[in-house]
Amino acid sequence: MRTILQIDKLITTLGKGKHDTGEVIAILPFSSKSAKEVRDHFFEVLGELVRNICELELKRKKRKPEDELSYTSNPVIEQILREIEYSADDEYDLERFLNQHLFGQDNRIKITHPYLYNLIPVPEKDVFKKFGHFIHNVLIQENEEIIALFKAKETNDILTELILNKLELPKREGIQKKEYQPLLDGFTKLYQEDLLYISKHKEYFISNFPLLTHFYIFIALHH
């Protein structure tokens, strides 16, 4: 089976006996010390992955203490409200409705459409962004069908489509370098075929995109 990575360099680096320092960090997406942290935040990593796919940024706004009790401290809801006409009397109810429609009790966004993955914030640590970039390089690459899948805003749900059409995330600046390559020949193609197959069934795709991606990444890192 043909490999694509620089195996000689990988063996030499890992042979030094340390897997979390030196050049190994440039070869692998995370160190052994941060593996559990990445696993615990895999949902957030998927947000970074999809922003890599769509070449978008999620701008963070620093929260003020007085914002803690306000729905509009959420930048997603703020942007939607700026694009909707409503009376001052309806503002509170509208904010509350949007918050309940888009977010769960844990303040985690409800994924009802592939584009909404773009709105998942990632912790401010390089390891999470690096891992999202790794998944993009290894599994997605430049597959146009997958890119179109996550960029599309069309849906049969009128309310969701209205919300999506009011959201405009800034484009990611610059061209991202391809830092990683798949180790197994045909591995990426299998993932892409599976992903596109389940995308034909909306609810199944929404529920199983994280599981499918986690499964393939587990194989990629443990083969």
Side-chain angles (χ1 to χ4, degrees):
M1 184 174 289
R2 184 171 62 88
T3 56
I4 305 174
L5 288 175
Q6 297 178 12
I7 297 300
D8 292 340
K9 181 178 180 181
L10 181 61
I11 292 174
T12 300
T13 304
L14 295 179
K16 296 176 181 179
K18 294 184 178 181
H19 296 181
D20 53 9
T21 60
E23 294 184 27
V24 71
I25 295 178
I27 297 173
L28 301 177
F30 55 82
S31 69
S32 57
K33 290 181 179 179
S34 58
K36 183 180 184 302
E37 197 172 15
V38 169
R39 185 170 61 251
D40 291 343
H41 290 278
F42 192 72
F43 181 75
E44 289 80 4
V45 169
L46 289 177
E48 185 64 20
L49 164 63
V50 173
R51 284 189 292 277
N52 271 269
I53 294 172
C54 298
E55 298 181 318
L56 297 175
E57 291 283 2
L58 183 63
K59 297 295 184 182
R60 288 186 173 225
K61 179 181 178 182
K62 290 187 177 180
R63 296 167 67 97
K64 299 177 182 178
E66 59 267 26
D67 287 337
E68 293 297 326
L69 299 178
S70 172
Y71 289 136
T72 53
S73 62
N74 187 302
V76 174
I77 293 180
E78 282 183 347
Q79 183 174 348
I80 295 172
L81 290 176
R82 285 197 298 268
E83 300 293 332
I84 297 177
E85 293 184 8
Y86 58 91
S87 67
D89 293 338
D90 296 330
E91 183 174 0
Y92 174 79
D93 289 334
L94 181 57
E95 291 173 8
R96 185 178 179 185
F97 171 76
L98 289 172
N99 190 71
Q100 292 176 343
H101 182 75
L102 288 172
F103 297 91
Q105 293 182 346
D106 57 357
N107 207 32
R108 175 181 284 192
I109 192 164
K110 299 175 184 176
I111 302 298
T112 57
H113 188 281
Y115 186 86
L116 290 174
Y117 276 101
N118 282 295
L119 306 182
I120 302 173
V122 67
E124 290 291 334
K125 279 191 175 183
D126 287 342
V127 64
F128 299 114
K129 293 186 177 182
K130 189 173 183 180
F131 195 51
H133 187 54
F134 167 78
I135 300 174
H136 179 247
N137 285 176
V138 172
L139 296 183
I140 307 296
Q141 298 186 333
E142 303 301 325
N143 187 298
E144 294 183 2
E145 289 184 83
I146 295 178
I147 293 172
L149 170 65
F150 285 100
K151 280 188 173 182
K153 294 183 177 182
E154 293 79 11
T155 175
N156 293 328
D157 186 328
I158 297 176
L159 178 58
T160 299
E161 185 168 6
L162 172 65
I163 291 173
L164 292 179
N165 286 332
K166 297 300 181 183
L167 288 171
E168 291 297 335
L169 299 181
K171 291 283 292 182
R172 185 161 291 191
E173 297 180 0
I175 300 175
Q176 297 183 82
K177 293 182 179 179
K178 187 172 182 179
E179 300 179 59
Y180 307 98
Q181 291 181 311
L183 180 62
L184 304 179
D185 191 23
F187 181 79
T188 296
K189 184 178 179 181
L190 285 174
Y191 170 79
Q192 293 175 354
E193 289 176 349
D194 284 347
L195 185 64
L196 290 171
Y197 177 76
I198 67 172
S199 72
K200 298 175 183 178
H201 310 278
K202 177 188 172 184
E203 292 184 4
Y204 188 83
F205 174 79
I206 294 298
S207 300
N208 290 280
F209 165 60
L211 183 62
L212 179 71
T213 305
H214 192 278
F215 172 73
Y216 270 87
I217 284 300
F218 178 84
I219 294 176
L221 293 174
H222 292 82
H223 187 274

